[in-house]
Amino acid sequence: MIDLVGKVVEVLTLDTTYIGKLIEIGETEVYIESESGWMVIPVEKIMAINERGD
């Protein structure tokens, strides 16, 4: 997944799908920058991270 840093991705959780530029993957959190600002998503909630192919 480290190869996705800097790319636009979809982060899938049970609750929703987040779309934005992947900034950092930490041990406990994933950081993305979206149109509405920065988002911090706990790793334990993430089901998948996929590159957005627009």
Side-chain angles (χ1 to χ4, degrees):
M1 271 194 251
I2 197 79
D3 58 323
L4 294 175
V5 172
K7 297 182 179 179
V8 177
V9 296
E10 294 178 334
V11 180
L12 306 170
T13 68
L14 287 175
D15 300 326
T16 191
T17 300
Y18 300 95
I19 298 172
K21 183 177 178 183
L22 182 61
I23 302 300
E24 183 180 339
I25 300 174
E27 288 185 32
T28 59
E29 299 170 326
V30 168
Y31 300 85
I32 65 171
E33 184 179 14
S34 70
E35 290 180 4
S36 60
W38 286 82
M39 296 185 178
V40 180
I41 307 162
V43 168
E44 67 266 3
K45 294 188 176 201
I46 296 174
M47 296 172 44
I49 300 176
N50 302 311
E51 186 173 0
R52 178 91 178 196
D54 287 342

